[in-house]
Amino acid sequence: ASVPSEHEVRVLDFMFLEDPLAEVNRAVAEFRPDLVGISVRNIDNQDSRQPEVYFPQVKEKGMVNELLFDLSRGQISFDEVKRNLARNAGIDVSPVTDNRPFFYKIDIGLPSQVSLVLWLSVGLMLVALVVPALVWRRRPAGQKVQHPSKRPARPVALRALFLFSMLGIGFMLIEISLIQKFMLFLGQPVLSLTIVLFSLLAGSGLGSLHSGRYAPETLTRKIVIFSLETMVITVVYASVIPVLFELLLGLALAVRSLVTAVLLFPLGFAMGHLFPLGMRWLKQDTAEDYIPWVWGVNGVGSVLGSVATIAIAMTAGFAQALLAGAGCYLLTALVFARPDERKSRRLR
């Protein structure tokens, strides 16, 4: 407050001084301030060379916070302090970790802003899934697929919506979690964002290009294979990345950047197959009319996946968000591993 008002301010740090009192006297005599402010902590003397904790001198309750008093006497554990604060004050004082690096989050549960955006994203996804279906049913008969033999079956629509929603949600869960993880390895958020995005998107682009080599009759099987491949690679990364970081952290930044690109390229290559394979599968099943719908659902899924990543990371951690992304691809593989039921029911 003093600096913006153009007052001259000096700050003294006594942490590493041999004789703090002599330094105060010298600074006051030299600077001759009009006002002196002193900040004192309540549990130690702030001297790193000869630290002294005041708790042993605290004999009566009321001299410090009651929880701190009981903690200093060994009457309660720190876990009990955490539970007490969570129950009575709604405060989370759990230690911050690399997996949950939200040092500013002290409230129990999700922040209200994150909850709001999460529920808005869920509502938007429901709108994207339901409203086009209602509009489709009310279309004039002449605007629908006319020939009964070319009319797409209801299970095709349901599987397509599931596929493209899971691709949007799963991709963002994995991508954002990896960006956060590789910040620890590369040291700078901008580098992590740049290299992870480049590696995943370059791999996805080549995977999309490579997906055109597969025959039409193998599309469903390839969707299952590449979904399982993505899931396996993601689970392996979640398990191995901490070990690799510990082994390779001492390398030069250029080498670590190259290692990051090499590690993530196979994952991007596998994920890149699924979107074009899904589009070709819809076209093969004479369901081209669904393509704009599922494309929009995929976009909304990306929004929902982005918010879900933060929500999961705040409540459990980024490693758990990464595994949740792997779960999306596992569910996709399970849905498409089931026999095709196109002939059972028809969409009117």
Side-chain angles (χ1 to χ4, degrees):
S2 299
V3 174
S5 303
E6 300 182 354
H7 293 288
E8 187 178 356
V9 178
R10 289 190 184 181
V11 178
L12 300 181
D13 185 356
F14 303 144
M15 182 66 75
F16 301 102
L17 299 179
E18 293 284 355
D19 190 347
L21 185 58
E23 180 63 23
V24 170
N25 292 331
R26 186 196 66 78
V28 169
E30 176 184 321
F31 185 49
R32 302 185 66 83
D34 296 321
L35 182 66
V36 176
I38 301 176
S39 173
V40 181
R41 288 191 288 182
N42 64 337
I43 60 173
D44 65 70
N45 62 351
Q46 303 188 56
D47 189 342
S48 63
R49 303 186 183 209
Q50 295 180 332
E52 179 182 354
V53 179
Y54 296 141
F55 271 143
Q57 284 76 38
V58 176
K59 304 298 183 182
E60 299 178 1
K61 285 192 175 184
M63 298 178 67
V64 295
N65 181 279
E66 186 174 337
L67 278 176
L68 294 177
F69 181 87
D70 292 339
L71 183 64
S72 69
R73 290 289 181 267
Q75 298 174 0
I76 59 174
S77 66
F78 183 68
D79 287 338
E80 291 175 307
V81 172
K82 290 194 298 183
R83 288 193 294 268
N84 187 294
L85 289 173
R87 181 176 61 254
N88 297 330
I91 296 176
D92 181 9
V93 294
S94 301
V96 175
T97 64
D98 290 334
N99 193 40
R100 292 179 60 198
F102 304 99
F103 59 88
Y104 52 84
K105 178 185 176 299
I106 62 173
D107 295 329
I108 299 297
L110 290 177
S112 58
Q113 300 91 333
V114 177
S115 297
L116 175 62
V117 177
L118 178 61
W119 287 112
L120 286 176
S121 301
V122 172
L124 186 60
M125 174 60 82
L126 293 176
V127 170
L129 291 172
V130 174
V131 172
L134 298 177
V135 173
W136 180 274
R137 285 184 173 275
R138 295 184 179 184
R139 290 173 64 186
Q143 296 182 16
K144 297 182 182 180
V145 179
Q146 295 182 0
H147 197 284
S149 63
K150 294 185 178 181
R151 190 175 295 164
R154 189 186 302 273
V156 171
L158 296 178
R159 294 170 84 186
L161 292 171
F162 186 85
L163 169 65
F164 286 94
S165 61
M166 287 295 101
L167 292 185
I169 296 171
F171 191 96
M172 297 309 295
L173 282 166
I174 293 173
E175 180 185 75
I176 297 176
S177 299
L178 288 175
I179 290 173
Q180 171 61 32
K181 289 289 185 184
F182 277 89
M183 284 184 191
L184 306 173
F185 187 54
L186 298 172
Q188 300 181 33
V190 174
L191 272 178
S192 178
L193 178 67
T194 303
I195 297 175
V196 171
L197 283 181
F198 169 80
S199 305
L200 290 179
L201 295 181
S204 296
L206 291 177
S208 298
L209 181 63
H210 185 263
S211 67
R213 299 167 57 91
Y214 299 114
E217 61 272 13
T218 65
L219 295 180
T220 302
R221 183 161 56 90
K222 293 300 180 182
I223 290 174
V224 173
I225 290 173
F226 284 106
S227 296
L228 290 175
E229 184 176 330
T230 300
M231 183 272 296
V232 170
I233 294 175
T234 303
V235 171
V236 170
Y237 281 3
S239 305
V240 173
I241 277 178
V243 179
L244 288 178
F245 285 180
E246 186 174 350
L247 293 174
L248 305 178
L249 193 58
L251 298 177
L253 178 59
V255 179
R256 282 180 280 140
S257 300
L258 181 61
V259 169
T260 301
V262 171
L263 276 175
L264 297 182
F265 183 85
L267 178 60
F269 186 78
M271 291 193 292
H273 283 76
L274 293 165
F275 194 94
L277 285 176
M279 290 295 180
R280 291 181 60 197
W281 168 70
L282 280 175
K283 189 173 181 179
Q284 180 191 7
D285 280 316
T286 66
E288 297 95 331
D289 287 353
Y290 290 152
I291 289 179
W293 184 8
V294 298
W295 206 314
V297 167
N298 179 261
V300 176
S302 298
V303 175
L304 177 57
S306 302
V307 183
T309 304
I310 301 303
I312 296 172
M314 282 187 166
T315 54
F318 278 102
Q320 287 74 13
L322 189 62
L323 293 176
C328 291
Y329 286 91
L330 175 61
L331 291 175
T332 300
L334 294 176
V335 168
F336 276 79
R338 297 179 58 188
D340 195 352
E341 301 176 358
R342 289 185 297 170
K343 300 180 181 180
S344 61
R345 298 165 64 185
R346 296 290 182 178
L347 184 66
R348 295 181 180 179

